Every structure is written in structure tokens, then in C-alpha cells.
Amino acid sequence: MKMEGAKRRALFSMLSLGIPLQPLHDPNAKGAVNEHGQAVPLALSYRILQPLPNAPVITGHDAGTITLNLEEADDAIRERNRMNLNEPYRTLLGHFRHEIGHYYWSMWFENDPKGEEVLGAFRELFGDESADYGAAMNAYYSNGAQVGWQERCISAYSTMHPWEEWAETWAHYLHMIDALESFESLGLRKSAAMPKETIEKIVPLPKPFQSAPVAEFTHKLQTWLEITPAINELSSSLGHNMSYPFVVSAPVVRKLFFIHCMVKRQVNEAKNQPSTAATQAR
């Protein structure tokens, strides 16, 4: 099943990165704080629904539950939606990545007592998430993307609201990391140095990441920016549209680096947290 395959690939990405997933069956998953004052993540669950004449399905995330429209697994319907919404790129895997981005925003910024430590950096890069979402959505679908969005965002949809820009940039980070993993697993290698002017575009980030190490990220980014033209040429040679129809501007690079830093932060915190059994024994 196409939808299930995309879901499993997206979840495998989370496991590969080492960031925590909180399955629905965990009785402690409340998106709150336990009796020891420790953050308890949101439970993650999925609803993949077939729309009915009087019951449309709206893709989205709400309090740990990700809802997707099963009709999107039909290539013809997904292509129609892609054209109607003027999206150059629309895939099942992209849907899962985007909605998981919303899930992690809730986990890391909204339901984590330490979220305030990084919320200021998020707002400096992405904007104020307290802006009225309904009004932003109406403005986007009425007027389209903001003029010049390519200079600061990874997609037109990113301009709608800071939450959506986070989710779109998060999905793009996974897009890059997963493709690079596949690239390297096939025995392919690229090892060019990151130009100094590119490094200067991504650092320093706002607090608390102003001194974050850049070497790992810049190596991945440089490799990615070198192989994507080849990917597009191969697609053209096979008679298809560009597989990578994106422009990675300097502001987007900083946002991708911020997400990279957030992932590393969560991996490190997960390693330092006591096990559930040890916590319950206290």
C-alpha cells in the first residue's frame, strides 16, 4: 500500500536521526509534565481516512494525531491536487514529513518546559507563531504567496504562517538527509569543501545556538547542492519534470541549520534522560 509505505519510510527517518517517538499505546504520553516535573511527549497516532460525499478529509496535525486523505495515494488525484494548488512538488512521503514537522513543533516548543529556551530563536527565523492562523490561511488562499518568497522560503506554502514554514522547512531537511543517506548507501561520494561565504550565511544562529558547530551540516549541505543538479539532469533525460524544483536561499540555509541544531539537541537530551523504569522507581 502506497500510503503505508510512505508512513514507514517517514518513521524510519525519525529512528535514523535518533529523535524520540512517543507511540499512542504509551500510558504516560500526555503532552504534559509528569509528577517529577519532566516533560512527557505527545502521543503520535495516524488517521488515514477515505473521504465520503458529506465527510471530506482535511490533512493536518492536531495534538499528536496526524490525519491524511487516502485519496492522495491515487496518482491521478494527487496530480490534480498538485496542479490545482500550484505546487511544483507533492508526494505522499512529503505529506508525512510535513505533518510530522507539526508534531515535533508541538513536542519541542509547545509541550516541553524547556521550549522557551529555543522559542525566541524560532521566532527570529520563522516569525511569531501566535499570529492568527485562520486569518493567515484565508489571506494565503485569497491572495497567494507573498511577493519574493523564493528569497527567504523553501516553498510558496511556507509564507502562509510560521507553523507552516517550520513544517515545510522540516520536510525539506528530511528530504535532504534521506536522499543523502541513499546516495551514500549506493557507494557514491562527494567531498568538496564548503565555501567560506556559505558558512557566513548560516552562522551565527540566534541563542542558544549561536556557537553551534557547523562542520557536519555544511558537509551535508555542500554535497546536496552538488548532486541536485545531477538529479534534475537525470530526470530530464528520462522525460520527467525536475525531481528537485527548489531554490535554497541563504535564509533557508539558516532555517535548515536551525532544524539540524534542534534535532541534535533532542538527540542529546534523549540520551541523557533516565529510562522510564528508573523514573518510575524514584
Side-chain angles (χ1 to χ4, degrees):
M1 182 180 176
K2 293 179 182 178
M3 190 72 79
E4 182 65 19
K7 183 183 82 173
R8 293 188 180 204
R9 192 173 187 98
L11 291 177
F12 177 78
S13 297
M14 305 303 103
L15 297 175
S16 295
L17 289 171
I19 51 181
L21 286 167
Q22 193 78 359
L24 183 61
H25 59 72
D26 189 328
N28 292 319
K30 301 173 184 176
V33 177
N34 63 20
E35 65 272 21
H36 304 287
Q38 297 165 322
V40 179
L42 289 170
L44 176 64
S45 62
Y46 290 92
R47 297 192 312 158
I48 301 174
L49 306 176
Q50 177 70 44
L52 299 173
N54 297 321
V57 176
I58 305 299
T59 295
H61 167 266
D62 181 30
T65 298
I66 292 173
T67 301
L68 289 105
N69 186 344
L70 184 59
E71 280 191 344
E72 284 276 326
D74 186 312
D75 293 341
I77 292 176
R78 191 171 64 258
E79 176 63 13
R80 182 195 66 194
N81 292 339
R82 188 185 72 82
M83 296 295 293
N84 289 342
L85 295 172
N86 193 29
E87 295 179 353
Y89 188 83
R90 188 181 182 92
T91 66
L92 294 181
L93 182 54
H95 286 325
F96 280 101
R97 287 169 172 164
H98 177 100
E99 299 307 333
I100 287 175
H102 286 303
Y103 166 72
Y104 278 111
W105 196 95
S106 292
M107 280 185 66
W108 296 347
F109 297 95
E110 187 177 36
N111 289 281
D112 187 341
K114 296 182 179 180
E116 286 293 331
E117 296 177 4
V118 290
L119 189 57
F122 169 84
R123 288 174 174 168
E124 182 170 332
L125 293 169
F126 294 88
D128 187 353
E129 82 290 346
S130 66
D132 189 296
Y133 185 86
M137 181 174 64
N138 291 336
Y140 176 78
Y141 285 113
S142 297
N143 306 319
Q146 300 168 8
V147 175
W149 64 265
Q150 297 93 336
E151 299 174 5
R152 58 187 184 277
C153 300
I154 195 61
S155 68
Y157 191 63
S158 296
T159 68
M160 191 177 90
H161 188 276
W163 282 336
E164 297 304 342
E165 187 177 11
W166 161 271
E168 286 284 277
T169 312
W170 166 273
H172 203 85
Y173 177 79
L174 295 183
H175 187 98
M176 178 177 73
I177 296 300
D178 286 3
L180 285 173
E181 182 179 343
S182 297
F183 179 79
E184 293 174 358
S185 72
L186 294 172
L188 304 173
R189 293 289 185 272
K190 267 290 192 184
S191 58
M194 173 65 71
K196 183 174 184 293
E197 62 270 18
T198 304
I199 295 177
E200 290 172 347
K201 290 177 181 178
I202 66 173
V203 292
L205 289 181
K207 293 179 181 181
F209 300 119
Q210 67 271 32
S211 300
V214 302
E216 179 186 9
F217 175 78
T218 53
H219 174 74
K220 290 181 182 297
L221 178 65
Q222 177 67 15
T223 304
W224 182 239
L225 294 179
E226 290 188 351
I227 68 174
T228 47
I231 292 172
N232 284 335
E233 284 298 319
L234 287 172
S235 296
S236 298
S237 298
L238 296 172
H240 294 289
N241 295 329
M242 288 192 300
S243 295
Y244 189 75
F246 300 99
V247 175
V248 183
S249 65
V252 169
V253 169
R254 293 189 77 217
K255 293 165 189 173
L256 288 169
F257 184 44
F258 174 72
I259 288 174
H260 177 79
C261 292
M262 285 296 300
V263 168
K264 294 300 179 183
R265 173 187 171 95
Q266 297 304 318
V267 170
N268 291 335
E269 288 194 355
K271 289 179 180 178
N272 294 329
Q273 282 183 353
S275 66
T276 302
T279 300
Q280 291 175 345
R282 290 179 185 174

